[in-house]
Amino acid sequence: MEGEPDLQFLLQGGDLLKVRSPSWKKTRYFKLQEDCETMWQESKKTFRTNQTFSLYDISAVRMGRQSEGLRKYTEEQVEGRCFSIMFKGRRKNLDLIASSEEEAKQWVISLQKMVSNINNLSLQQKTEHWIFNCLRKADKNKDDKLSLSELKNFLRLINVKVDDDYAETLFKKCDNSKSGYLAGEEIEHFYDLLTHREEIDVIYGEYAKTTGFMSPENLVDFLMKEQREKASLTDAHKIIEKFEPDENAKEKKLLSKDGFLMYMHHPEALVLNSDHKEVYQDMSQPLNHYFISSSHNTYLLEDQLSGPSSTEAYVRALLKGCRCVELDCWDGSDDEPVIYHGYTLTSKILFKDAIKAIKEYAFKTSDYPVILSLENHCNVEQQAVMAHHMSSILGSALITSPLGDSMPTNFPSPEELKGRFLIKGKRLNTLEASFAPEVAAADDTDVTEEEESNDEDEQKEKEKSEKKNKLKLAKELSDMVIYCKSVHFHSFDDARQNQSFYEMSSFKEGKAMELAEESANAYIRHNAHKLSRIYPAGIRTNSSNYNPVPLWNAGCQIVALNFQTACTDMDINQGRFLVNGKSGYVLKPAYMSDIATEFDPITLTRGDWLKHKTLHVMIISAQQLPKVNEKKSSIVDPLVKVEVYGVPADVAEKETSAVENNGFNPAWNENFQFDVYVPDLALVRFVVEDYDSMSDNEFVGQYTLPFNSLKMGYRHVPLLDKNGDVLPAAGLFV
């Protein structure tokens, strides 16, 4: 990047108008710091610390008035000068206005380029970048030399507590010039000593049988024996060509230890099977044969009592691959329906703004269909407005009649529905009726209102169901419901005898868990024919989640979670949908889509599902774990947990001991063994925690993936933070 005009532009920086409300618009000076990864903004206030943010934290840079803030607080004529910086996790957007359209374009292009470059660095390069930045911060007097005290400061920054003797020994070992500080090559030598990885030496040494290097034959040997991969000499030559940094070795067709380490850090060599990163499953089966990534109260950014509602929340969920979003619709003023969590203090957004945001971001991460789950509390007039907005904004992408010319007998596939929207909601008549005109004259405009009830009190539930709320339904809205008609669930028998495939029920988590435990096989058979949606209990006002695994085990497709809440349950959800191109659709095993299946996850009788495997895991080491809190003296005491989720017989957890005071390169070398009986439904989660003897351990990072997507052999495991974003230089080695 050195010397590139975009980089130069950012290093020079400039004034931008920061927008927070109609009245709060202030000029701030923004520029990129020398580390080429931290943006700095100067505040005009005295005593105000200047704020910084890392390019790693940016999820997108958007040109124009695309954010909610800019649309609300600025006029249309500044469209071309506006842009927004969106962040990962929970940080608020930065809404900015440049002094000219040219300048706005330059900011957007330069930032996008830098963010893309920094995200495409290999783990090896990120490590070097990170260490280089820490060195720069440690060099207090900026003389490009490190004194012993600066060196200790550096070790603290990289999360290693080194006792003074060891720090001095390292220092003396590198201070060849005996000058009392390290400079140039001495710093490089110090860096090499520090990043030296003994475990890689051992593995490399085992196979480097050709003048101390790995020949293509040695590499094939390693790939086949240790990594259990089919590999040919051609593959080995390609790896050496691509990863060997030393030109001399490359000429002799040899792989050095550095080249070997670079290969081991490459995405195709990581723990996740790289073939599973793309869409690799059959996408032409009926929709209900898939688990579908689904969100609950999608419009909320925080909790359900007073948190803000925002179109941004839809954008975030869709970009994470969510394929079923929820819209809680209520009557608004000026005949414009609004979305919010009814009867609470959460803020409101316009229905049409939510639909616009959904249309724009629906197919950025995945091309497969999006289901709009309508929770409708509007009067007939405003329902007609909802129907109008959906048809005018979504246009031909909205499914308003069955595919094909005759009454369908089954769901279309995700493949047939690519780029399309489905509406889930109430319908006045049956779908069959729309194919038989004489039946279609249904004058009844009343349907029973099925609210997601927040009432835990069974007695009240009963009374309520006796005086069922009658809801008038607008024909325009009713006619848009094709494949996902909401109906009340009475029993599996009733559903089998009286309900069509397109009629689906929503289950509160408690009821669903009960069915999944007590009649798992009946639930699986039900879901082999129909769709089921599960949603969190109303008492979860803090937007907490529930464990989705038992419901997937029962074949439920739409297990809706609060995407806005970072927690183990969301990690597991992200792990389940990490594969198949992050398309938000994962094919269920065939025995779960068979209407006569005998499969029962609780009792586990013999059948195709029983494929007993033994998982052997050795937790070897970790690299560059982040600090849990920013206190200068705080260093992590890491331990690793390995958790298995799946059918009850497979659920297990084991943990290593804690390594004291070392987040930089802790080593464990501990072995675990797990029995996995139904690998198709199992997920493996690696969690790193900071051990604390006095209180709960603190979360450092995690990575979850399907058991069947694990690669064998020695593997690096990337680590994600609590929001599910990658921790730049950190990782596990197993």
Side-chain angles (χ1 to χ4, degrees):
M1 280 296 289
E2 295 301 325
E4 278 203 18
D6 294 309
L7 178 61
Q8 292 314 315
F9 171 78
L10 291 174
L11 287 168
Q12 201 177 329
D15 279 338
L16 291 166
L17 194 63
K18 185 169 163 183
V19 180
R20 278 207 189 140
S21 74
S23 54
W24 198 105
K25 297 189 175 94
K26 299 188 178 173
T27 303
R28 294 282 181 264
Y29 187 75
F30 286 85
K31 68 181 266 230
L32 183 65
Q33 295 187 308
E34 282 87 77
D35 66 2
C36 295
E37 74 162 54
T38 314
M39 284 297 293
W40 175 83
Q41 55 164 318
E42 182 179 33
S43 166
K44 297 279 188 265
K45 271 195 207 148
T46 33
F47 307 127
R48 180 67 199 269
T49 53
N50 292 322
Q51 292 159 307
T52 61
F53 57 86
S54 162
L55 295 182
Y56 281 118
D57 295 336
I58 296 177
S59 71
V61 185
R62 299 190 204 149
M63 189 71 207
R65 296 163 64 243
Q66 288 207 46
S67 73
E68 211 172 354
L70 286 170
R71 279 203 294 269
K72 243 194 239 169
Y73 309 136
T74 61
E75 303 303 318
E76 235 160 87
Q77 61 263 32
V78 296
E79 176 78 41
R81 291 167 40 206
C82 291
F83 67 98
S84 304
I85 297 176
M86 312 294 177
F87 293 100
K88 298 174 183 169
R90 299 213 161 179
R91 187 174 178 146
K92 283 202 178 83
N93 302 345
L94 198 50
D95 292 332
L96 302 163
I97 304 180
S99 53
S100 70
E101 296 199 6
E102 279 316 299
E103 197 187 326
K105 272 201 195 91
Q106 178 72 62
W107 274 103
V108 171
I109 290 165
S110 306
L111 281 167
Q112 282 173 340
K113 213 179 215 172
M114 285 302 291
V115 169
S116 141
N117 279 349
I118 207 163
N119 286 328
N120 289 329
L121 292 177
S122 71
L123 203 58
Q124 182 78 12
Q125 291 165 312
K126 282 182 184 167
T127 299
E128 288 170 7
H129 194 86
W130 181 76
I131 290 192
F132 177 61
N133 282 338
C134 290
L135 275 168
R136 183 178 276 150
K137 280 186 199 149
D139 180 12
K140 286 276 197 286
N141 57 0
K142 302 281 177 271
D143 59 358
D144 288 333
K145 298 172 186 170
L146 287 185
S147 64
L148 182 59
S149 74
E150 285 176 332
L151 177 94
K152 287 180 186 167
N153 192 20
F154 166 72
L155 290 170
R156 257 203 305 275
L157 281 171
I158 61 170
N159 208 355
V160 182
K161 184 171 185 181
V162 175
D163 64 39
D164 286 355
D165 296 347
Y166 181 61
E168 274 172 50
T169 318
L170 262 184
F171 188 81
K172 286 194 180 121
K173 220 178 196 171
C174 301
D175 181 13
N176 299 330
S177 59
K178 305 277 175 281
S179 57
Y181 51 79
L182 306 184
E185 282 183 3
E186 296 172 340
I187 292 182
E188 268 177 52
H189 181 208
F190 168 69
Y191 169 78
D192 289 340
L193 282 179
L194 201 67
T195 53
H196 168 230
R197 287 186 51 191
E198 201 174 334
E199 69 275 36
I200 296 287
D201 288 2
V202 173
I203 300 164
Y204 179 77
E206 193 74 20
Y207 288 89
K209 300 288 189 231
T210 314
T211 61
F213 286 87
M214 263 190 190
S215 67
E217 291 78 7
N218 300 154
L219 181 54
V220 168
D221 221 14
F222 166 75
L223 292 172
M224 289 179 71
K225 277 193 195 145
E226 301 292 350
Q227 307 301 73
R228 314 282 177 89
E229 287 179 29
K230 293 187 183 74
S232 64
L233 280 172
T234 320
D235 299 326
H237 282 293
K238 279 187 190 148
I239 288 172
I240 293 171
E241 188 50 44
K242 187 169 173 184
F243 296 102
E244 179 49 60
D246 179 347
E247 289 303 326
N248 293 338
K250 194 186 281 191
E251 246 167 65
K252 297 181 186 150
K253 305 273 182 280
L254 295 172
L255 188 65
S256 68
K257 193 163 63 190
D258 286 340
F260 177 67
L261 184 59
M262 288 183 88
Y263 167 66
M264 292 294 283
H265 270 308
H266 190 263
E268 71 192 46
L270 299 181
V271 71
L272 173 68
N273 182 342
S274 52
D275 296 345
H276 291 190
K277 282 184 165 171
E278 307 308 316
V279 173
Y280 73 101
Q281 297 179 329
D282 174 7
M283 299 305 276
S284 62
Q285 298 192 27
L287 200 65
N288 66 321
H289 287 198
Y290 299 82
F291 296 123
I292 302 172
S293 179
S294 306
S295 130
H296 173 249
N297 289 352
T298 316
Y299 46 88
L300 292 181
L301 282 170
E302 288 165 25
D303 68 44
Q304 306 185 7
L305 291 182
S306 56
S309 304
S310 164
T311 55
E312 199 52 46
Y314 285 98
V315 173
R316 286 182 190 182
L318 291 165
L319 291 179
K320 279 188 172 169
C322 176
R323 299 288 88 190
C324 176
V325 296
E326 186 184 14
L327 299 103
D328 237 342
C329 312
W330 299 80
D331 291 334
S333 48
D334 305 329
D335 283 333
E336 277 296 348
V338 292
I339 293 179
Y340 79 113
H341 201 38
Y343 309 121
T344 63
L345 300 174
T346 59
S347 60
K348 298 176 176 157
I349 49 179
L350 291 179
F351 178 78
K352 64 176 178 190
D353 288 346
I355 298 294
K356 281 180 191 158
I358 290 168
K359 172 155 177 32
E360 195 172 335
Y361 288 92
F363 305 112
K364 293 252 199 269
T365 300
S366 163
D367 297 331
Y368 292 98
V370 169
I371 300 169
L372 305 181
S373 180
L374 297 184
E375 180 101 17
N376 172 11
H377 308 274
C378 294
N379 62 32
V380 178
E381 292 73 32
Q382 295 212 6
Q383 288 176 35
V385 176
M386 285 165 61
H388 167 73
H389 286 323
M390 288 195 290
S391 98
S392 63
I393 295 165
L394 304 176
S396 61
L398 181 64
I399 295 275
T400 52
S401 60
L403 304 186
D405 306 324
S406 56
M407 174 62 204
T409 53
N410 205 343
F411 292 98
S413 68
E415 193 58 46
E416 292 171 287
L417 292 168
K418 262 186 168 172
R420 308 295 295 271
F421 293 95
L422 302 172
I423 305 294
K424 174 195 157 307
K426 290 285 175 196
R427 189 182 161 98
L428 290 169
N429 56 2
T430 63
L431 195 55
E432 287 81 350
S434 58
F435 284 92
E438 62 280 5
V439 192
D443 300 325
D444 188 13
T445 55
D446 288 357
V447 291
T448 310
E449 184 174 6
E450 292 283 335
E451 282 192 50
E452 281 192 7
S453 73
N454 290 337
D455 243 317
E456 290 304 295
D457 188 332
E458 289 298 316
Q459 191 48 43
K460 274 193 202 149
E461 290 274 296
K462 261 208 182 80
E463 288 167 22
K464 208 165 160 186
S465 62
E466 280 156 20
K467 339 190 267 269
K468 284 283 196 206
N469 304 345
K470 285 292 184 191
L471 178 75
K472 291 265 191 235
L473 195 56
K475 185 171 185 317
E476 302 92 315
L477 192 59
S478 162
D479 288 350
M480 287 180 168
V481 175
I482 307 297
Y483 290 113
C484 303
K485 174 184 173 180
S486 306
V487 296
H488 186 67
F489 176 78
H490 297 288
S491 71
F492 290 131
D493 283 343
D494 172 71
R496 192 172 55 251
Q497 288 158 17
N498 303 320
Q499 286 175 12
S500 271
F501 77 91
Y502 61 86
E503 297 188 299
M504 62 175 290
S505 301
S506 288
F507 302 82
K508 194 192 298 181
E509 104 193 41
K511 175 71 177 157
M513 288 286 191
E514 193 181 304
L515 291 170
E517 279 167 25
E518 290 166 18
S519 15
N521 178 259
Y523 215 165
I524 290 168
R525 289 179 174 198
H526 173 85
N527 288 323
H529 184 242
K530 299 179 180 62
L531 283 167
S532 289
R533 174 174 170 271
I534 320 296
Y535 59 91
I539 47 170
R540 296 182 180 273
T541 48
N542 58 350
S543 289
S544 61
N545 278 311
Y546 55 97
N547 179 1
V549 175
L551 302 160
W552 290 329
N553 292 345
C556 299
Q557 301 87 348
I558 301 179
V559 181
L561 295 178
N562 289 303
F563 267 57
Q564 66 276 22
T565 307
C567 60
T568 304
D569 309 308
M570 249 338 270
D571 293 344
I572 294 170
N573 196 69
Q574 190 176 5
R576 163 65 73 215
F577 294 104
L578 175 68
V579 294
N580 210 25
K582 291 193 179 168
S583 62
Y585 286 84
V586 168
L587 187 62
K588 297 198 275 188
Y591 50 79
M592 294 185 88
S593 299
D594 165 12
I595 295 185
T597 185
E598 291 297 316
F599 175 58
D600 185 321
I602 315 286
T603 56
L604 285 193
T605 50
R606 286 186 179 284
D608 296 347
W609 43 89
L610 268 192
K611 302 172 189 151
H612 181 202
K613 296 196 172 168
T614 308
L615 171 64
H616 295 275
V617 184
M618 183 182 190
I619 300 294
I620 303 174
S621 60
Q623 293 75 46
Q624 290 150 71
L625 301 173
K627 291 184 162 199
V628 177
N629 53 36
E630 286 302 308
K631 280 223 307 280
K632 214 175 176 183
S633 59
S634 104
I635 307 284
V636 293
D637 302 326
L639 61 82
V640 181
K641 288 182 177 172
V642 183
E643 302 168 349
V644 178
Y645 294 86
V647 300
D650 291 345
V651 175
E653 173 184 316
K654 305 206 165 144
E655 66 178 62
T656 65
S657 52
V659 171
E660 270 188 48
N661 285 327
N662 183 353
F664 184 74
N665 56 2
W668 293 275
N669 296 313
E670 292 188 37
N671 285 297
F672 301 130
Q673 188 173 318
F674 298 90
D675 282 308
V676 178
Y677 293 96
V678 186
D680 296 335
L681 293 173
L683 295 146
V684 180
R685 182 170 185 253
F686 297 92
V687 196
V688 183
E689 293 182 347
D690 179 11
Y691 173 71
D692 190 329
S693 55
M694 309 304 286
S695 63
D696 286 349
N697 295 346
E698 281 194 84
F699 174 87
V700 176
Q702 70 86 33
Y703 189 72
T704 307
L705 73 168
F707 180 91
N708 285 344
S709 301
L710 275 173
K711 271 188 154 177
M712 309 225 252
Y714 291 103
R715 301 291 172 187
H716 281 105
V717 180
L719 288 173
L720 310 179
D721 64 16
K722 62 177 192 307
N723 293 314
D725 296 312
V726 177
L727 290 166
L732 274 179
F733 187 56
V734 299

